[in-house]
Amino acid sequence: MRDATDLIRALQAGEMSSHDLMTQTLARIDAVNPALNAIVGMRPVDDILTDAKAADATPPKGPLHGLPIAIKDLAEVKGIRSTFGSPIFADNIPTADCLMVQRIRAAGAIIIGKTNTPEFGLGSHSYNPVYGVTRNPYDRRVSAGGSSGGAAVALATGMLALADGSDMMGSLRNPAAWNNVYGFRPSYGLVPDDPVGDTFLHQLSTNGPMARSIRDLELLLQVIVVPDARLPHSTPAFTPLPNVTTLKGLTIGWIGDWGGYYPMEPEILQLCEDALEQMRGLGATVKPFMPPIAPEQLWHAWTTLRSWAIAAKQAPLYHNPETRDLLKPEMIWEIERGLAMSAIEVHEASLIRSTWFAAFASQPDVDIMALPSAQIFPFNADLHWPDTVMGRKMDSYHRWMEVVVPASLTGLPALNVPVGFGAGGLPMGMQLIGQRGSDARILQIGQVYHGATDWPRQRAVKIKA
């Protein structure tokens, strides 16, 4: 499977046409998607091929000219059914693109449809009542993760070479880990969102790129990060750093399971430690790291701010009796918690967030933190979520993904890198987490690791088209 950068080079050099690439892409989708359900809401094939022919007949519009892409079904795309995985929006066809999609389209990409996601993106398992369950290509009996599960599966199987995702609570990192690809959660503010509603308070979720290589992550990131002066947290544009061949001078702080706080399958820790040993071989210093804050505090702050943010956005659906009955229980739980919170409770949660941000920013011992990207391997796809991990009862639908909170709570950049496969043949990944604004450095580190490992190519999905 060729990555997006290679495909675009071939298109620009005239070695292949956009029409040929699109024909191959559609054939691949026809062959593998029915069993996996990753790409949904497909446009009519004739319309897609017409767009590909038009791309061949016009000068390049931008860096993605002629490349097929499907957009995660949490983003509105003009003229394409955009459901958010909810029956409430099952027939929603937007009349305009959201800001991110505007930029992808302006860069010349050809949008063919959507990628599947859980209802409103809640939960790290991509199933919904509109399109059903997305399954893992390494074992169709288990989950593809979420909420960017459709995007991750499309990449892992070669149905797409490049994909967008979004990440509130690991929604890029978890499915990337479970599908042996890369997913990058940028620093909050780097990728601007639509400047509508409140743009100051909620800093938990961001869009970001997914791919089979680091250079492809950088390619899409440069397209979607153009600063927007209407947004108060917007940051300068992203510029990649030069490629290097060593990690010499880098100190990685390995958190592991945070001294036993996170229940976690032991094999996951071993795979991550093996990857860290490879990074040592590339010149990095790796040492145990205990963050200077209690993880229980992070969880309390996270669940408070998350429920508050979800309620602020989705309360109108809850207050309308006609739509409330169509919301899944997890959404109702989040909204009811958020509506019941006082301003002081939210303030106290944000104080914890502030303390954690300052503590990591001021510590001198490590450059980046490393954590597993998930606490368990992919679970039975017929379940909604795992209620126990290593014999420990999970008290909410998302507690089993608590390991992603340290980055999400404070908007830190976090890159999932593949670290190999467990004895059961399922993939796993590890988070590399840096200071806010260190996005280019994190990706530079990822490129060195990718050059030495290239797990997406080493253990590509074996599905015949």
Side-chain angles (χ1 to χ4, degrees):
M1 292 183 284
R2 300 171 72 177
D3 67 14
T5 306
D6 281 339
L7 289 172
I8 290 168
R9 183 201 57 76
L11 289 170
Q12 292 175 345
E15 296 171 5
M16 67 165 34
S17 69
S18 178
H19 185 267
D20 288 343
L21 174 58
M22 189 64 73
T23 300
Q24 295 168 18
T25 297
L26 293 174
R28 183 69 174 170
I29 292 170
D30 285 344
V32 304
N33 195 57
L36 300 173
N37 193 37
I39 297 181
V40 296
M42 285 281 291
R43 295 172 58 208
V45 169
D46 288 347
D47 292 350
I48 294 172
L49 291 174
T50 296
D51 285 352
K53 289 179 181 177
D56 288 329
T58 58
K61 292 172 60 178
L64 303 181
H65 189 84
L67 187 76
I69 195 167
I71 304 296
K72 183 176 176 179
D73 200 23
L74 295 185
E76 293 208 323
V77 180
K78 181 180 179 180
I80 298 180
R81 192 160 72 129
S82 300
T83 74
F84 315 103
S86 168
I88 297 170
F89 295 98
D91 298 317
N92 175 46
I93 300 179
T95 57
D97 293 329
C98 70
L99 182 61
M100 178 189 71
V101 174
Q102 289 174 28
R103 290 175 171 176
I104 291 173
R105 198 188 295 275
I110 300 173
I111 299 173
I112 63 173
K114 308 300 284 292
T115 56
N116 205 26
T117 181
E119 186 177 335
F120 293 108
L122 291 191
S124 290
H125 177 28
S126 295
Y127 72 96
N128 63 67
V130 180
Y131 290 118
V133 179
T134 298
R135 296 181 177 274
N136 195 300
Y138 288 95
D139 184 339
R140 297 174 191 176
R141 296 169 297 180
V142 301
S143 172
S147 61
S148 306
V153 172
L155 289 168
T157 56
M159 289 189 281
L160 296 176
L162 198 60
D164 71 289
S166 58
D167 190 305
M168 188 184 214
M169 191 178 172
S171 290
L172 278 166
R173 292 163 280 164
N174 157 263
W178 282 5
N179 290 277
N180 191 37
V181 298
Y182 293 93
F184 183 55
R185 177 194 167 100
S187 294
Y188 182 79
L190 184 63
V191 179
D193 204 352
D194 290 71
V196 296
D198 178 76
T199 57
F200 276 87
L201 293 175
H202 303 292
Q203 301 185 43
L204 303 184
S205 184
T206 181
N207 294 320
M210 302 178 72
R212 294 189 297 269
S213 69
I214 299 296
R215 63 180 182 171
D216 280 1
L217 292 180
E218 293 179 336
L219 172 67
L220 182 55
L221 199 56
Q222 290 177 87
V223 168
I224 63 177
V225 299
V226 181
D228 193 312
R230 298 170 294 178
L231 296 167
H233 302 296
S234 186
T235 62
F238 170 80
T239 302
L241 291 174
N243 286 344
V244 294
T245 58
T246 178
L247 298 180
K248 187 176 181 179
L250 176 72
T251 301
I252 302 173
W254 170 232
I255 299 175
D257 62 4
W258 205 316
Y261 172 77
Y262 297 129
M264 192 174 296
E265 295 186 32
E267 195 177 7
I268 293 174
L269 293 170
Q270 186 59 58
L271 286 173
C272 291
E273 288 168 5
D274 291 345
L276 290 169
E277 191 61 34
Q278 289 177 295
M279 292 182 185
R280 280 195 181 96
L282 295 167
T285 298
V286 181
K287 61 183 183 180
F289 179 62
M290 188 64 65
I293 194 169
E296 297 90 342
Q297 287 186 288
L298 300 187
W299 180 246
H300 171 74
W302 174 255
T303 53
T304 299
L305 295 170
R306 176 181 166 93
S307 292
W308 176 55
I310 291 171
K313 185 174 183 179
Q314 306 295 358
L317 300 178
Y318 174 83
H319 290 308
N320 182 342
E322 293 183 4
T323 54
R324 183 190 307 175
D325 290 343
L326 297 175
L327 297 173
K328 70 178 185 178
E330 293 84 355
M331 174 64 84
I332 292 174
W333 178 80
E334 293 278 17
I335 293 173
E336 289 180 343
R337 289 186 80 247
L339 292 175
M341 287 171 186
S342 69
I344 291 300
E345 286 178 296
V346 172
H347 172 70
E348 289 173 348
S350 197
L351 285 178
I352 295 171
R353 168 169 59 180
S354 302
T355 299
W356 167 227
F357 184 88
F360 179 51
S362 61
Q363 62 78 33
D365 297 328
V366 301
D367 300 309
I368 63 171
M369 298 180 287
L371 276 163
S373 291
Q375 294 167 229
I376 60 174
F377 285 98
F379 57 86
N380 187 330
D382 295 327
L383 299 176
H384 287 184
W385 46 275
D387 58 3
T388 59
V389 176
M390 297 301 294
R392 215 179 295 181
K393 185 74 174 175
M394 298 292 99
D395 57 5
S396 71
Y397 76 99
H398 51 8
R399 190 70 182 253
W400 61 277
M401 279 296 297
E402 188 175 359
V403 74
V404 302
V405 166
S408 292
L409 182 61
T410 45
L412 303 179
L415 171 66
N416 171 77
V417 296
V419 295
F421 290 71
L426 294 173
M428 185 45 60
M430 180 172 67
Q431 304 171 76
L432 301 178
I433 303 169
Q435 305 283 2
R436 193 182 285 202
S438 65
D439 302 72
R441 177 58 174 149
I442 292 289
L443 291 173
Q444 186 185 51
I445 293 164
Q447 178 59 47
V448 176
Y449 174 77
H450 175 74
T453 58
D454 197 358
W455 278 108
R457 193 179 301 273
Q458 270 199 60
R459 291 286 293 270
V461 173
K462 295 180 180 179
I463 298 177
K464 293 183 180 179

